[in-house]
Every structure is written in C-alpha cells, then in structure tokens.
C-alpha cells in the first residue's frame, strides 16, 4: 500500500476540500492575504479540484486547453512566478503547460493547508523537520503526544480500512526519507493503540543510515522491530519469528527486558540479486498516481512527471570510494550486478504487470559495461522502453556507447559532478576530472540523452575561490548545453563516510553529540572558517536561470549580495576540454562492432578516376530521419553489404579484430578502408565501436 498517494487522492476531492474550508473558517487562522484569497475563491476550488486531479492522472487530456486559457483555475501566490516562465513552455506543448498550471494550483492549496490546518503538510516531505538530523527523539516524541491533525485523521482512516480488509499479523513500513518518518510513527502508534495483536516493523533508507546506533527505548512504544540494510531475509525471518516458527533474526533491533537489543544471529546469507525476484506492484493504485511539473526544465520534471517502474542494475556501487559517501555501509559497499538478460526479463515482467514501459534504474551508479549489455539485450528483443539512471561521468561513456544507450530507449542520466575543481575531485576520490566530465556530458548530449548534474559546495578545505571557479565551470557546461539540469547541495558530513570516519585527515572537527535516536548527519567545524551557507541563494538562483537558458552573460558577482573574487577560469576552458576529446575505442581490437541501421540498397555506378571510368557500388541507406549514400569499390562494397547484418545487435557479437580478419581474407588495406570517408559517414548514422 502506498499510503502517500492514497492520502493525496483522498484529500483533493470536493468532499474533503469542503471539510478543509469549513475547518479553516472555524479556526479563523487566515494570517496572510494569500490564504484569505484562497478562502474567498473556495467555490472555484471546489468546482475544479476533481477535474484537475483527473487531468493529472491522465484521464481528461482535453482539459489542457481549458486550463491553458488561464481563465479556468483560481490563482493565488504560486502563479506570481508564471510571467517569468511563460517563455519556457513555448516549446513544451499544451499538455506540459497545463500540468505546470495545475501543479501551481495544487501548491496554492498546499500553502493554505500549511498556514491554516497543518504546518507539517507537504506533498513528499511531511513533517520533514522532525526527522532531519534528529539526534534526540524528544521533538518527534512530543509531537506524537499531541492531538491528531486533520491530515493524520484522514491518513489513519485509510490505514484502518486496509487493516480491516486484510487483518494482518505483521505490518511493515518502508521509511526511505525523513519526510516519511512522522507519518510512519503516527500509523504505528495507531496500530499499537487499536490493534494490540499486530506486530509492526520499520525498514528502508532512513533506518539504514540514521538508526544504526539506536538506543532510545521509547521508539519501541511504536515499532516492535527495526531492520537494517537489505530487507528480503530480515523480513522472511521476522515472519517466522512473529508466527513463532523461528527465533533467529537478521540485522534487527527489538526491545528485550526493557533494553534496546540488536539481534543478528541468523547464519543464513542474504539473497543474491539474481534471486530476489521482480518487484510486484499489483496492489498499488497505479492508475491514480498524478504527474506534476514543478519546473519548466524537461530533465528536472522526470522525478515528478510520469510514473516509472523502479529497478536496479546492481546492488551497491562499483566505484565505492567517494569520501563524502556512506561507502562503509552495505548498501554501497557490497557491489553485486544483475545479469543483463535477467534484468530485461524483469523489465518485460513489469511491463506485463503494470502496462508501463518507463523504467528508472535507481542505482548508486550504474556500471557502463552492464548498461551496454542491457542496451544490446533490449535491442535484441526489439523491446520498446524508455529508461534513465544514475551514473558516474567516467571515460567509458564514449559517444558510441551513448548512441547505443539512446537507441535502446535511454533518455536521461544523472550523475555527480560534485565540486567542479580537480583538486577537490581528487580529494573526494571521485575518479574523474572536470575535463572528463565535460567530454562525457558532451557525448550524452550529442546522442540525445539529457544530463542532470549533482553539484556540491562547502566540501572540507574548499576555498571561496574554488566555489566561484566551480560556479564558472557549471556556467560554461550549461552554456554549451552539456548539462541540462542540476542541483546544488551543501556538503553534509555523514558518520559512515570516509570523512566522517577520519575527520582529522580532512581538517574538520565534528561536534560531539549524544545520539540516542538518529545518527548520520554530523555537525562540524571546518578549519577554513568559511561560512559556505552564504553562497546557497546565489548558487540556487544562478542555476535556476542557467537551466532555463538565461543569465550566461551576467558576471558571477551579480548573483550575490556580497563581494566575491573574480573567477580564475578562462571563459573557453570547457570548450578546450572538448577539443581534446579522442575516442580510443575506434582503434581497440577488442571493441565490439555494432550496426544500428538497416540493409542498404545497392546500385552499380561509374565514376571518373585517374582519367578513366571505374565501376563502384553506391549503397543507399534509409534511417528514421533521413537517407544517405556512400560509394565504395565493388569488392569492398559487396563485402560490407554482406557483413552489416552480422554486426546488428541481434547477431553474435563481433570484435574489431574479427572484422579485420574477415576483411583480410578477401581484401587488402583494412585500415585505409576502416578509416575511410565512407565508413566515417556510417559512423555518424550508427556504426559503433563499443
């Protein structure tokens, strides 16, 4: 059960909005002109809410025209930004513009709820403040002693319906983020009070990173068990434990004799990735998810527009060295890829189950070699899918590989550029350079794959000059359209990262706390003494403009209300990185040769060479977008025509060495042929060296 979407769909109905406005009126809590305006327009909201939700669920596509008149939806403060963004939707189409307007409409209602009814409300981050860096359980515990909010009551009604329908003996909550924590505790509290025989467990990203040193026994007034890391075996053993069929547990906190106890006495190893099976979405209300567009940027909207089937290509991270990352924890440390054939089997199973052909691979960093094999397997099966994933910007992503990925349905990648400074990238142990990032992002963009960059500032020992220079690098990357979207994060010290485990080596001094509840984000003092927080607004504002193609000509100083040093980076630096780009795969004997195009038609033609006529083969190719010709000597042309089919993705893989051997069995001068103008033309249209 996805309680999140069920609450949103229940909340945004005419009946519930009538309750909302009535409640707000009784409490008379209109503190701003904005909430007064929304209340005054309440009838307009009541008349439109169910139509808008239906539209965002894909049920009323023709409503887009009505929404885009800007005479249909009531407008409050969120629409004030619209004039600035009008141009951005000029090329995006009516459906996307209507989704954006409908999103602003829902955000206005969210602002009203926060001001008048429930200050914790948020679409994806409910009461996040209570869960973020909560070393002490006190604040959350206090909040849970207060009366239920209106949103709480609605949430618990929906949960109650499901409990009565299924009568479970075990309820398990997945809590990936701090913004899910409060509601999970509220639901657990409700179950404990009303269904004392039901056992309750928690797992997911938040406990995996934050609750590894849990000591506060009050947590177990709500949950009976908290499991860490991979969930399959812990849950299986927990079911046996609850049903009194076994006594052993895997990575599980529980309360024994009033003491918080960590039990990890099962000798059974965790399931291998090949054995965990395909996710089962059959109980989720897949037709009720809403697609929203908060920002006009097409890459940025991937996270909220559309519903993606989630899979992973590999468990953990194949690099596993970045000093800011939780590389000591199993979810990063234990790297285990899934075979390409099995991955595509799982994709086909999910298409059959959900009807959705979109996939988000949620890897820490998808391995390039495995991505290549997955792409080839998709093409072998003639499977039509759309997919995107997280990567490292490493040199393995040649232009040819990016073209292959795009041909298989890859539309976007996200990756960590972090700090655009070679000194700091080396300190981070990122394993990439700024030049490499520029070249790789160029390959993705040229292949038609959008790129989102995770950006970082405030890394230990980072100077103000390095922050300014990093910003200039990012400006150039956007100006050259090498990245299309990004997000600046201020460095956060985590307890399980190499920096957190050895802070002295990085010149920082962690603030000691007695963490009885959550312990991952650690406050610290940097030896530089720089207040990095002061850069956050300028970095955010500049990036927002760069993402929309604006502000490239403005001096960096204009984004800040305090003085910054001039950048030391040449304005042509990123372009010079691109000028040095060379694809070494084209010369490697072990490179796999793949032809993505179709069969050519052959015509004999006569050309004038050295004052006499010579017969040649003209090969005419038709692609989805265009047609083109190449002309070769007779024997070479016939040999190539025969070979192309054996280079297709469905054929047995051929290496450059295989191709050369076959050529030399019939002809001479392979290098002259392979690097000829005719073959260069084929490369532009899908002849790949991988």
């Amino acid at each position: 059960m996805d309680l999140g979407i069920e609450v949103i769909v229940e909340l945004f109905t005419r009946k519930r909005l009538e309750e909302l406005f009535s409640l707000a009126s009784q409490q008379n809590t209109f503190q701003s002109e904005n909430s007064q305006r929304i209340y005054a327009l309440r009838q307009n909201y009541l008349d439109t809410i169910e139509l808008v939700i239906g539209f965002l669920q894909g049920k009323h596509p023709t409503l887009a025209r009505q929404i885009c008149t800007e005479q249909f939806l009531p407008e409050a403060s969120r629409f004030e930004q619209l004039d600035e963004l009008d141009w951005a939707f000029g090329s995006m189409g009516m459906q996307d513009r209507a989704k954006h307007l409908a999103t602003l409409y829902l955000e206005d209602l969210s602002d009203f709820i926060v001001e008048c009814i429930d200050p914790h409300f948020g679409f994806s981050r409910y009461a996040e403040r209570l869960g973020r860096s909560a070393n002490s359980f006190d604040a959350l515990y206090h909040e849970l002693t207060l009366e239920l909010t209106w949103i709480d009551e609605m949430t618990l009604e929906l949960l109650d319906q499901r409990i009565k329908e299924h009568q479970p003996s075990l309820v398990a909550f997945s809590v990936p983020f701090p913004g899910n924590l409060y509601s999970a505790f509220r639901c657990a509290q409700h179950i404990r009070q009303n269904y004392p025989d039901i056992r309750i467990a928690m797992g997911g990203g938040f406990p995996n990173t934050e609750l590894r040193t849990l000591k506060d026994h009050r947590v177990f007034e709500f949950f009976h068990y908290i499991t860490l890391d991979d969930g399959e075996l812990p849950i299986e053993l927990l079911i046996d434990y609850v049903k009194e069929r076994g006594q052993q547990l895997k990575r599980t906190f529980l309360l024994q004799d009033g003491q918080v106890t960590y039990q990890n006495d099962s000798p059974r190893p965790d399931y291998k990735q090949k054995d965990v099976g395909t996710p089962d979405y059959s109980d989720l209300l897949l037709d009720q998810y809403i697609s929203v567009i908060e920002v006009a940027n097409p890459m940025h909207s991937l996270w909220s527009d559309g519903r993606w089937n989630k899979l992973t290509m590999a468990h953990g991270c194949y690099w596993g060295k970045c000093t800011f990352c939780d590389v000591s924890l199993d979810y990063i440390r234990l790297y285990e890829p899934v075979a390409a054939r099995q991955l595509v089997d799982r994709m086909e199973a999910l298409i059959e189950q959900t009807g959705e052909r979109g996939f988000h691979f949620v890897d820490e960093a998808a391995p390039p070699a495995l991505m290549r094999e997955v792409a080839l397997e998709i093409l072998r099966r003639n499977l039509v899918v759309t997919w995107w994933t997280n990567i490292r910007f490493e040199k393995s992503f040649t232009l040819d590989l990016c073209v292959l990925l795009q041909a298989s349905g890859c539309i976007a990648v996200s990756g960590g550029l972090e700090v655009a400074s070679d000194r700091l990238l080396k300190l981070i142990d990122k394993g990439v350079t700024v030049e490499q990032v520029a070249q790789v992002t160029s390959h993705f963009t040229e292949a038609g794959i959008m790129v989102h960059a995770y950006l970082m500032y405030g890394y230990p020992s980072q100077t103000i000059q390095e922050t300014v220079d990093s910003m200039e690098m990012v400006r150039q990357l956007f100006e050259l359209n090498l990245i299309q979207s990004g997000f600046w994060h201020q460095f956060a010290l985590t307890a399980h990262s190499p920096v957190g485990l050895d802070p002295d080596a990085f010149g920082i001094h962690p603030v000691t706390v007695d963490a009885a509840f959550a312990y991952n984000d650690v406050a610290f003092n940097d030896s530089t003494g720089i207040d990095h927080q002061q850069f956050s607004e300028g970095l955010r504002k500049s990036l927002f403009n760069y993402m929309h193609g604006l502000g490239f000509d403005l001096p960096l100083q204009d984004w800040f209300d305090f003085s910054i040093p001039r950048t030391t980076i040449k304005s042509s630096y990123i372009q010079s990185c691109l000028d040095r780009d060379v694809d070494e795969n084209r010369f490697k004997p072990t490179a796999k040769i793949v032809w993505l195009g179709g069969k050519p038609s052959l015509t004999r033609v006569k050309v004038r060479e050295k004052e006499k006529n010579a017969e040649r083969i003209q090969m005419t190719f038709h692609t989805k977008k265009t047609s083109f010709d190449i002309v070769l000597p007779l024997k070479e042309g016939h040999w190539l025509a025969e070979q192309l089919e054996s280079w297709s993705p469905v054929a047995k893989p051929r290496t450059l060495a295989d191709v050369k051997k076959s050529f030399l069995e019939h002809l001479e001068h392979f290098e002259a042929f392979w690097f000829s103008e005719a073959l260069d033309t084929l490369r532009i249209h899908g002849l790949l060296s991988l």
Side-chain angles (χ1 to χ4, degrees):
M1 178 188 193
D2 182 349
L3 198 49
I5 190 60
E6 295 198 24
V7 169
I8 292 296
V9 170
E10 174 69 18
L11 168 60
F12 291 115
T13 58
R14 185 185 185 99
K15 174 175 173 286
R16 289 296 191 176
L17 283 198
E18 284 174 344
E19 285 179 35
L20 169 67
F21 289 127
S22 173
L23 204 57
S25 174
Q26 292 166 28
Q27 295 179 2
N28 195 21
T29 52
F30 307 133
Q31 297 168 10
S32 68
E33 288 184 16
N34 191 54
S35 60
Q36 291 169 23
R37 173 175 172 75
I38 292 172
Y39 183 74
L41 292 168
R42 61 191 179 280
Q43 192 59 47
N44 298 96
Y45 284 102
L46 294 173
D47 292 343
T48 52
I49 187 62
E50 292 183 1
L51 287 169
V52 169
I53 291 296
F55 169 71
L56 292 174
Q57 291 171 332
K59 294 171 185 169
H60 313 302
T62 54
L63 192 66
R65 295 179 179 275
Q66 183 90 318
I67 291 172
C68 287
T69 64
E70 296 186 39
Q71 302 295 319
F72 179 69
L73 298 179
E75 298 181 5
S77 64
R78 294 289 184 142
F79 285 78
E80 290 168 6
Q81 63 183 289
L82 197 60
D83 290 342
E84 304 168 22
L85 293 180
D86 259 0
W87 60 271
F89 285 91
S91 61
M92 287 187 74
M94 187 174 291
Q95 290 291 324
D96 282 350
R97 181 177 175 81
K99 280 183 185 178
H100 181 59
L101 294 170
T103 302
L104 297 177
Y105 162 96
L106 289 183
E107 287 176 336
D108 275 336
L109 284 171
S110 173
D111 292 342
F112 184 83
I113 294 169
V114 169
E115 183 177 319
C116 303
I117 301 294
D118 186 344
H120 295 316
F121 181 75
F123 286 108
S124 59
R125 297 184 178 95
Y126 191 88
E128 184 178 42
R129 175 186 58 81
L130 294 170
R132 184 180 283 165
S133 303
N135 299 138
S136 169
F137 188 48
D138 290 349
L140 181 55
Y141 190 72
H142 171 72
E143 200 74 25
L144 293 164
T145 65
L146 303 179
E147 284 189 21
L148 297 175
T149 67
W150 182 64
I151 301 287
D152 287 340
E153 290 172 353
M154 194 184 313
T155 303
L156 298 177
E157 280 177 33
L158 291 166
L159 181 64
D160 246 0
Q161 291 170 17
R162 197 60 65 94
I163 288 174
K164 284 170 180 165
E165 179 186 346
H166 289 283
Q167 299 184 351
S169 55
L170 172 67
V171 175
F173 290 88
S174 181
V175 182
F177 306 113
N180 309 118
L181 192 67
Y182 168 82
S183 287
F185 269 89
R186 267 301 190 204
C187 292
Q189 180 186 51
H190 176 78
I191 296 171
R192 287 292 282 260
Q193 291 171 351
N194 295 280
Y195 305 94
D197 293 334
I198 294 178
R199 304 288 96 179
I200 311 162
M202 183 209 298
F206 184 85
N208 290 351
T209 55
E210 302 277 350
L211 302 184
R212 304 188 77 85
T213 56
L214 180 64
K215 296 189 280 286
D216 197 320
H217 62 86
R218 295 176 296 175
V219 171
F220 295 92
E221 295 174 22
F222 304 86
F223 293 93
H224 296 95
Y225 315 104
I226 295 176
T227 71
L228 302 181
D229 301 327
D230 290 4
E232 292 86 3
L233 184 58
I235 283 282
E236 184 183 340
L237 293 170
L238 202 49
I239 291 168
D240 287 343
Y241 190 90
V242 167
K243 292 184 173 292
E244 299 182 345
R245 297 191 302 234
Q247 290 299 309
Q248 293 180 330
L249 294 173
K250 194 85 170 176
R251 297 187 300 274
T252 302
F253 283 108
L254 66 165
L255 202 64
Q256 292 181 328
D257 300 324
Q259 298 294 315
V260 178
T261 306
Y262 182 65
Q263 189 171 330
N264 188 26
D265 56 348
S266 171
R268 287 179 58 187
D270 281 295
Y271 285 99
K272 294 292 185 184
Q273 290 302 295
K274 64 183 177 65
D275 299 322
V276 298
T278 304
D280 184 350
Y281 293 123
S282 57
D283 291 323
L284 300 185
L285 310 181
L286 297 181
D287 60 339
Q288 295 189 31
Y289 282 83
I290 59 175
S291 288
V292 297
I293 296 181
E294 299 158 280
V295 179
N297 183 287
M299 174 74 207
H300 224 65
S301 66
L302 280 180
W303 278 270
S304 58
D305 183 21
R307 197 197 65 75
W308 303 90
N309 293 321
K310 307 285 187 179
L311 283 173
T312 49
M313 292 194 188
H315 181 288
C317 178
Y318 69 95
W319 179 249
K321 296 178 185 178
C322 298
T323 53
F324 62 81
C325 189
D326 292 337
V327 296
S328 66
L329 299 185
D330 285 357
Y331 82 96
I332 301 282
R333 184 176 63 86
L334 299 179
Y335 173 67
E336 185 190 344
V338 181
R341 188 172 297 176
Q342 188 172 32
L343 266 173
V344 182
D345 286 346
R346 290 175 181 177
M347 293 172 79
E348 289 186 320
L350 282 172
I351 291 169
E352 181 72 24
Q353 184 194 114
T354 68
E356 296 277 0
R357 290 180 172 267
F359 291 85
H360 180 196
F361 290 98
V362 293
D363 291 62
E364 299 301 322
L370 181 54
M371 289 173 70
R372 179 190 68 193
E373 295 309 311
V374 167
L376 288 168
E377 188 64 27
I378 289 170
L379 292 168
R380 279 187 200 108
R381 300 188 194 192
N382 206 22
L383 190 62
V384 179
V385 291
T386 303
W387 61 275
W388 58 296
T389 189
N390 195 48
I391 62 158
R392 288 178 65 246
F393 293 122
E394 64 156 88
K395 62 183 179 182
S396 303
F397 289 108
T398 62
L399 176 58
D400 282 10
L401 176 54
C402 293
V403 169
L404 176 77
L405 298 176
Q406 194 279 333
S408 74
C410 179
I411 55 161
V413 293
S414 56
L417 168 53
E418 320 309 352
V419 184
S421 153
D422 284 338
R423 181 189 79 84
L424 291 169
L425 285 171
K426 191 172 182 181
L427 194 61
I428 289 171
D429 204 0
K430 190 72 186 175
V432 300
T433 63
V434 174
E435 177 170 310
Q436 198 171 304
V437 171
Q439 292 168 357
V440 167
T441 54
S442 170
H443 298 159
F444 278 112
T445 300
E446 192 175 334
I449 296 172
M450 294 185 293
V451 180
H452 174 90
Y454 297 108
L455 307 164
M456 184 190 293
Y457 64 102
Y459 190 80
S461 79
Q462 183 171 357
T463 64
I464 291 174
Q465 186 66 61
E466 284 173 323
T467 300
V468 173
D469 288 350
S470 183
M471 184 181 178
E472 169 61 16
M473 298 276 206
V474 170
R475 186 196 70 77
Q476 291 182 33
L477 287 165
F478 272 101
E479 188 174 29
L480 292 169
N481 195 33
L482 303 182
I483 54 179
Q484 292 74 48
S485 172
F487 192 85
W488 283 105
H489 305 257
Q490 187 170 353
F491 169 76
L493 175 63
T494 62
H496 312 290
S497 67
V499 182
L501 295 170
D502 188 11
D504 291 344
F506 295 86
I508 61 170
H509 309 290
V511 177
T512 305
V513 292
D514 180 21
F517 183 52
Y519 183 63
N520 190 38
D521 284 6
V522 181
F524 67 95
N525 296 309
D526 191 339
S527 56
T528 64
I530 296 169
D531 174 18
H532 294 287
Q533 181 64 34
Q534 66 182 326
F535 291 96
S536 60
E537 182 57 20
L539 292 172
R540 185 200 66 79
K541 198 179 352 176
S542 64
L543 189 67
F544 183 83
N545 280 272
Y546 297 160
M547 282 198 298
H548 292 96
L550 299 172
F552 296 126
D553 296 333
L554 290 178
L556 300 186
Q557 177 64 69
D558 285 15
W559 302 112
F560 301 94
D561 56 8
F562 57 91
S563 180
I564 61 168
R566 293 173 67 86
T567 181
T568 63
I569 305 299
K570 289 182 179 179
S571 59
S572 59
Y573 179 79
I574 296 296
Q575 182 59 57
S576 68
C577 294
L578 302 183
D579 294 341
R580 293 191 289 271
D581 194 7
V582 177
D583 183 0
E584 296 173 358
N585 263 2
R586 294 193 175 171
F587 309 97
K588 281 186 179 177
T590 55
K592 288 184 179 179
I593 304 303
V594 173
W595 168 240
L596 296 177
K599 290 181 180 178
S601 57
L602 306 181
T603 309
R604 289 196 176 207
V605 295
K606 291 192 175 182
V607 297
R608 189 86 176 157
E609 283 184 6
K610 296 179 181 178
E611 299 184 1
K612 61 179 181 178
N613 291 332
E615 269 202 315
R616 295 284 183 265
I617 287 285
Q618 179 176 291
M619 307 176 77
T620 302
F621 295 84
H622 299 280
T623 70
K624 290 175 186 174
K625 294 178 71 172
T626 187
S627 301
F628 67 95
D629 299 323
I630 63 171
V631 177
L632 287 169
L634 281 179
K635 289 183 179 179
E636 291 179 3
H638 283 299
W639 178 86
L640 180 61
E642 290 170 4
Q643 292 293 311
L644 283 175
E645 195 168 346
S646 68
W647 299 349
S648 78
V650 298
K652 182 181 176 183
R654 304 282 300 279
T655 66
L656 181 56
D658 296 331
V659 171
K660 181 176 180 178
K661 181 182 177 186
S662 170
F663 183 91
L664 293 177
E665 285 172 358
H666 306 279
L667 300 156
E668 296 178 334
H669 309 303
F670 175 74
E671 279 72 18
F673 165 78
W674 193 246
F675 296 105
S676 65
E677 187 178 331
L679 269 286
D680 282 344
T681 301
L682 274 192
R683 287 188 187 92
I684 293 170
H685 295 283
L687 177 60
L688 309 179
S689 300
L690 302 168

